[in-house]
Amino acid sequence: LYGRQKIGNYGVVSNGVDISGVTVPSDNTPFPTYQVMRQLAPWRANGAVLVRSSTSDPMLAAYATKQSDGRLTIVVINKSPNSAIEGRFQLTRFAPGNHPVTLSTYGQSEDAKLSGPTMRTGATAGNDFSYAFAPYSCTLVSVLPWPSRTPR
């Protein structure tokens, strides 16, 4: 447990009932489990096919799918409680489009703000690119294929 979570409730949303004198969030407040499940919906969408992915850092886990529209979606989990870790992507058998990469991150800072995932865009991917992943975070990286149009 980290951040605002002071109890051992690994549920999806709070039930609003205090436990052993520990105040819990109000009823139906989403826990990190809920936020990450919601965040991963595009990664596991209908028609998604698992593709091989790996990482050389034992504190980073990576899982990738190719979506029915051709985009590559990579889930990166930083298991380090204290350190941001830079992950380098080397894409093979995938030609990225000339569009920014989209990133959706949920971690300690989002949990502390009681917010959902933070959305941002990164530089055009190319076949070799890097990003830093916040401690104890889950990031969804989405790369459009070539040729591709910017989604609406």
Side-chain angles (χ1 to χ4, degrees):
L1 297 178
Y2 66 81
R4 66 185 171 87
Q5 308 304 329
K6 306 295 184 215
I7 56 172
N9 182 338
Y10 293 98
V12 177
V13 294
S14 173
N15 63 6
V17 177
D18 293 347
I19 301 170
S20 300
V22 177
T23 303
V24 299
S26 60
D27 197 23
N28 291 322
T29 299
F31 283 131
T33 305
Y34 170 86
Q35 297 292 0
V36 172
M37 285 173 49
R38 193 179 83 184
Q39 176 189 20
L40 294 181
W43 179 80
R44 56 183 175 74
N46 285 339
V49 176
L50 283 172
V51 295
R52 187 176 357 178
S53 58
S54 64
T55 172
S56 61
D57 190 320
M59 296 306 285
L60 283 182
Y63 308 93
T65 58
K66 186 172 182 185
Q67 305 299 319
S68 59
D69 65 0
R71 84 179 61 221
L72 182 66
T73 307
I74 307 160
V75 174
V76 180
I77 300 170
N78 181 348
K79 298 182 269 186
S80 171
N82 303 312
S83 301
I85 299 175
E86 182 149 325
R88 180 174 174 207
F89 296 84
Q90 295 174 303
L91 306 178
T92 57
R93 291 187 266 175
F94 180 81
N98 191 23
H99 299 286
V101 171
T102 58
L103 298 106
S104 167
T105 300
Y106 187 83
Q108 294 173 337
S109 63
E110 289 78 14
D111 183 42
K113 294 183 280 187
L114 300 177
S115 68
T118 298
M119 304 295 290
R120 67 184 198 273
T121 57
T124 301
N127 283 60
D128 193 342
F129 57 99
S130 299
Y131 288 103
F133 299 96
Y136 267 170
S137 66
C138 178
T139 301
L140 190 70
V141 181
S142 184
V143 185
L144 290 171
W146 182 268
S148 60
R149 296 181 296 171
T150 302
R152 295 178 188 217

